[in-house]
Amino acid sequence: LFPNITGAVLDDFFLEKRLKVFTPQRLKEIRNKLQMSNEKKLDLWIVLYDKDLDSPINDYLNECDVITFWTWCGEDLKSLDQKFNKFLKKSSGKRRLAGYYMWNYGERKPMTIKQMEIQSERYYKWLKKGDIEGIIFCSNCIADLGLESVEWTKEWIRAIGDERI
Protein backbone atom coordinates (compact mmCIF):
# COMPACT_ATOMS: atom_id res chain seq x y z
CA LEU A 1 0.00 0.00 0.00
CA PHE A 2 2.69 2.51 1.03
CA PRO A 3 6.07 1.26 -0.25
CA ASN A 4 7.89 4.28 1.17
CA ILE A 5 6.95 3.36 4.75
CA THR A 6 9.46 0.84 6.06
CA GLY A 7 9.11 1.06 9.82
CA ALA A 8 8.32 2.99 12.97
CA VAL A 9 10.77 5.14 14.93
CA LEU A 10 10.82 5.58 18.70
CA ASP A 11 12.43 9.01 19.14
CA ASP A 12 13.44 10.44 22.50
CA PHE A 13 12.49 7.09 23.98
CA PHE A 14 14.76 6.71 27.00
CA LEU A 15 12.89 9.03 29.33
CA GLU A 16 11.70 7.80 32.73
CA LYS A 17 8.02 8.42 31.99
CA ARG A 18 8.21 6.36 28.77
CA LEU A 19 10.13 3.51 30.34
CA LYS A 20 7.34 3.08 32.91
CA VAL A 21 4.82 2.53 30.12
CA PHE A 22 6.92 0.86 27.45
CA THR A 23 8.63 -2.14 28.98
CA PRO A 24 10.85 -4.41 26.88
CA GLN A 25 7.88 -6.81 26.72
CA ARG A 26 5.67 -4.03 25.36
CA LEU A 27 8.29 -3.21 22.73
CA LYS A 28 8.34 -6.86 21.75
CA GLU A 29 4.56 -6.77 21.28
CA ILE A 30 4.81 -3.61 19.17
CA ARG A 31 7.58 -5.12 17.05
CA ASN A 32 5.58 -8.31 16.53
CA LYS A 33 2.58 -6.28 15.34
CA LEU A 34 4.77 -4.35 12.93
CA GLN A 35 6.07 -7.59 11.48
CA MET A 36 2.78 -9.51 11.28
CA SER A 37 1.81 -8.38 7.79
CA ASN A 38 2.22 -10.93 5.02
CA GLU A 39 2.60 -8.10 2.52
CA LYS A 40 5.28 -6.04 4.23
CA LYS A 41 7.09 -6.41 7.51
CA LEU A 42 7.96 -3.10 9.18
CA ASP A 43 11.08 -2.51 11.26
CA LEU A 44 11.10 -1.00 14.73
CA TRP A 45 13.72 1.74 14.99
CA ILE A 46 14.94 3.45 18.14
CA VAL A 47 16.95 6.62 18.74
CA LEU A 48 19.88 6.18 21.13
CA TYR A 49 21.66 9.27 22.43
CA ASP A 50 25.25 9.08 23.58
CA LYS A 51 24.14 10.18 27.06
CA ASP A 52 22.14 6.94 27.42
CA LEU A 53 24.99 4.55 26.62
CA ASP A 54 25.74 3.75 30.26
CA SER A 55 22.09 3.22 31.22
CA PRO A 56 20.61 -0.30 31.62
CA ILE A 57 18.83 -0.30 28.24
CA ASN A 58 20.02 -3.52 26.59
CA ASP A 59 16.67 -5.27 27.07
CA TYR A 60 14.98 -2.44 25.16
CA LEU A 61 17.55 -2.40 22.37
CA ASN A 62 17.18 -6.16 21.94
CA GLU A 63 13.56 -5.63 20.87
CA CYS A 64 14.44 -3.20 18.08
CA ASP A 65 15.57 -3.87 14.52
CA VAL A 66 17.45 -0.64 13.87
CA ILE A 67 19.35 1.58 16.32
CA THR A 68 20.29 5.12 15.43
CA PHE A 69 23.12 6.81 17.34
CA TRP A 70 23.08 10.55 18.10
CA THR A 71 25.36 12.96 20.00
CA TRP A 72 23.15 15.55 21.68
CA CYS A 73 25.82 18.06 22.76
CA GLY A 74 28.35 19.23 20.21
CA GLU A 75 31.04 19.42 22.88
CA ASP A 76 30.68 15.64 23.38
CA LEU A 77 31.82 14.98 19.80
CA LYS A 78 35.38 15.19 21.20
CA SER A 79 34.85 11.71 22.65
CA LEU A 80 32.87 10.35 19.69
CA ASP A 81 35.23 7.43 19.05
CA GLN A 82 34.94 6.10 22.61
CA LYS A 83 31.18 6.54 22.65
CA PHE A 84 30.83 4.89 19.26
CA ASN A 85 32.73 1.85 20.54
CA LYS A 86 30.20 1.58 23.38
CA PHE A 87 27.42 1.94 20.83
CA LEU A 88 28.85 -0.90 18.75
CA LYS A 89 28.82 -3.20 21.78
CA LYS A 90 25.27 -2.23 22.77
CA SER A 91 23.96 -2.66 19.22
CA SER A 92 25.66 -5.90 18.25
CA GLY A 93 23.66 -7.80 15.64
CA LYS A 94 21.42 -4.82 14.86
CA ARG A 95 21.21 -2.52 11.88
CA ARG A 96 22.87 0.80 12.74
CA LEU A 97 22.79 4.37 11.49
CA ALA A 98 24.50 7.51 12.72
CA GLY A 99 22.58 10.69 13.41
CA TYR A 100 24.16 13.88 12.08
CA TYR A 101 23.14 17.13 13.73
CA MET A 102 23.72 20.54 12.15
CA TRP A 103 22.29 22.27 15.21
CA ASN A 104 23.74 21.71 18.67
CA TYR A 105 20.51 20.99 20.54
CA GLY A 106 22.23 20.27 23.84
CA GLU A 107 23.97 23.63 23.91
CA ARG A 108 21.29 25.55 21.95
CA LYS A 109 23.48 26.90 19.17
CA PRO A 110 24.73 25.93 15.72
CA MET A 111 27.36 23.23 15.43
CA THR A 112 30.83 24.59 14.72
CA ILE A 113 32.64 23.69 11.52
CA LYS A 114 35.08 21.62 13.60
CA GLN A 115 32.12 19.66 15.01
CA MET A 116 30.77 19.17 11.50
CA GLU A 117 34.17 17.89 10.39
CA ILE A 118 34.32 15.42 13.28
CA GLN A 119 30.88 14.00 12.51
CA SER A 120 31.50 13.85 8.78
CA GLU A 121 34.92 12.26 9.02
CA ARG A 122 33.89 9.59 11.53
CA TYR A 123 30.53 8.71 10.00
CA TYR A 124 32.02 8.48 6.53
CA LYS A 125 34.78 6.19 7.83
CA TRP A 126 32.29 3.99 9.71
CA LEU A 127 29.99 3.85 6.70
CA LYS A 128 32.82 2.70 4.44
CA LYS A 129 33.94 0.17 7.06
CA GLY A 130 30.40 -1.22 7.37
CA ASP A 131 29.92 -0.32 11.04
CA ILE A 132 26.86 1.75 10.05
CA GLU A 133 24.60 1.41 7.03
CA GLY A 134 23.72 5.06 6.71
CA ILE A 135 23.72 8.61 8.01
CA ILE A 136 20.57 10.48 9.02
CA PHE A 137 20.88 14.22 8.42
CA CYS A 138 18.72 16.09 10.89
CA SER A 139 17.89 19.47 9.44
CA ASN A 140 14.51 19.88 11.13
CA CYS A 141 13.64 23.53 10.90
CA ILE A 142 17.15 24.93 10.40
CA ALA A 143 18.10 23.92 6.85
CA ASP A 144 17.05 27.20 5.26
CA LEU A 145 18.32 29.66 7.88
CA GLY A 146 21.72 30.18 6.22
CA LEU A 147 23.69 28.57 9.04
CA GLU A 148 27.36 27.92 8.30
CA SER A 149 27.01 24.35 9.58
CA VAL A 150 24.24 23.63 7.05
CA GLU A 151 26.13 25.17 4.15
CA TRP A 152 29.27 23.24 5.11
CA THR A 153 27.26 20.00 5.17
CA LYS A 154 25.76 20.68 1.76
CA GLU A 155 29.26 21.12 0.32
CA TRP A 156 30.47 17.95 2.00
CA ILE A 157 27.57 15.98 0.53
CA ARG A 158 28.26 17.45 -2.92
CA ALA A 159 31.90 16.38 -2.63
CA ILE A 160 31.25 12.73 -1.69
CA GLY A 161 27.60 12.20 -2.53
CA ASP A 162 28.11 10.31 -5.79
CA GLU A 163 30.61 7.85 -4.33
CA ARG A 164 29.47 4.22 -4.28
CA ILE A 165 30.01 2.55 -0.92
Side-chain angles (χ1 to χ4, degrees):
L1 249 162
F2 299 98
N4 58 331
I5 297 176
T6 61
V9 180
L10 299 171
D11 190 12
D12 296 328
F13 181 78
F14 294 107
L15 302 172
E16 187 177 336
K17 63 183 177 184
R18 291 203 178 113
L19 298 179
K20 289 179 180 176
V21 175
F22 293 98
T23 64
Q25 179 59 37
R26 182 69 181 122
L27 286 189
K28 183 176 188 168
E29 293 166 6
I30 292 169
R31 184 178 180 208
N32 288 341
K33 285 183 180 181
L34 288 170
Q35 297 183 348
M36 281 176 43
S37 171
N38 290 332
E39 294 177 28
K40 184 176 184 179
K41 297 184 182 342
L42 301 175
D43 290 326
L44 182 59
W45 293 48
I46 197 162
V47 171
L48 176 61
Y49 294 105
D50 61 339
K51 64 183 178 59
D52 295 318
L53 285 167
D54 294 324
S55 300
I57 57 173
N58 290 9
D59 290 343
Y60 294 93
L61 298 178
N62 289 339
E63 300 305 332
C64 298
D65 302 298
V66 183
I67 304 172
T68 66
F69 177 68
W70 299 81
T71 301
W72 188 249
C73 291
E75 190 64 28
D76 293 339
L77 288 166
K78 291 177 182 175
S79 58
L80 184 58
D81 290 318
Q82 296 86 351
K83 291 179 180 194
F84 188 75
N85 286 331
K86 285 183 179 183
F87 169 65
L88 288 176
K89 289 177 185 167
K90 285 223 180 256
S91 60
S92 179
K94 301 292 181 179
R95 293 174 50 212
R96 305 177 182 119
L97 287 92
Y100 184 105
Y101 281 130
M102 292 173 255
W103 180 262
N104 184 341
Y105 289 95
E107 297 162 19
R108 299 179 179 168
K109 60 184 178 180
M111 289 286 192
T112 66
I113 297 304
K114 179 65 179 166
Q115 291 166 336
M116 302 313 295
E117 290 170 346
I118 290 170
Q119 288 184 99
S120 301
E121 176 187 299
R122 299 310 193 294
Y123 297 164
Y124 183 58
K125 178 179 104 177
W126 297 331
L127 185 61
K128 288 173 70 171
K129 189 177 171 190
D131 287 335
I132 59 173
E133 68 178 59
I135 302 169
I136 303 166
F137 294 91
C138 180
S139 62
N140 261 4
C141 55
I142 54 114
D144 61 351
L145 297 180
L147 297 175
E148 190 178 27
S149 56
V150 174
E151 297 309 313
W152 188 94
T153 301
K154 288 178 185 178
E155 288 302 315
W156 179 70
I157 292 171
R158 275 189 206 94
I160 65 151
D162 290 332
E163 182 179 338
R164 285 212 176 283
I165 298 179

